[in-house]
Amino acid sequence: MRNVRVVTVGASNAGPKSNITPDRAELLLNVRTYDTAVRRRVIASIERIVRGECEAAGTPKEPTFEYFDQFPLTVNSEAVNDTITEAVQEATPATASDRGLSYEIFSCGSGIRSRS
């Protein structure tokens, strides 16, 4: 569970038109991990891949990296998670999944629980 990592490509922007070769590109990523060592490895891998692609493409400038919106991991209380899970299960009829409804409750401390 602690080795879980999620990298989301939020945006990829390059050039104003389809027929113009851009002089720069921007890739916005979101990285989520439970463990700071895993996070460091993911970020190092992203930087290595971007540098490799820039080198392969023969870009005249080195890529730059900017990091923002970094927050410490929230560890949920297992007791509170159990209370919320029970309340949602009671409030959600068993037929809800038949109508395409689902919910998920994530708890870092006790693993991932889901019902759909």
Side-chain angles (χ1 to χ4, degrees):
M1 173 69 167
R2 294 289 182 194
N3 288 328
V4 173
R5 73 227 0 113
V6 176
V7 178
T8 303
V9 178
S12 176
N13 306 304
K17 296 187 69 153
S18 62
N19 64 343
I20 297 174
T21 303
D23 64 346
R24 63 182 304 246
E26 180 179 57
L27 183 63
L28 301 178
L29 304 176
N30 179 279
V31 175
R32 292 184 228 168
T33 64
Y34 289 111
D35 183 276
T36 55
V38 172
R39 181 179 183 78
R40 283 192 298 271
R41 282 196 310 275
V42 169
I43 289 172
S45 296
I46 291 168
E47 289 185 9
R48 184 183 67 250
I49 291 166
V50 169
R51 284 189 176 95
E53 290 299 319
C54 287
E55 184 178 334
T59 60
K61 293 183 181 179
E62 284 288 314
T64 58
F65 301 91
E66 180 182 346
Y67 300 93
F68 51 92
D69 295 338
Q70 296 187 50
F71 302 99
L73 178 64
T74 299
V75 178
N76 297 321
S77 161
E78 187 168 344
V80 171
N81 183 73
D82 290 343
T83 300
I84 292 171
T85 299
E86 188 176 311
V88 171
Q89 286 174 341
E90 288 175 10
T92 306
T95 58
S97 61
D98 296 336
R99 294 191 308 262
L101 303 175
S102 67
Y103 70 88
E104 293 181 347
I105 297 176
F106 297 92
S107 172
C108 174
S110 62
I112 298 177
R113 300 177 186 189
S114 66
R115 177 178 147 196
S116 56

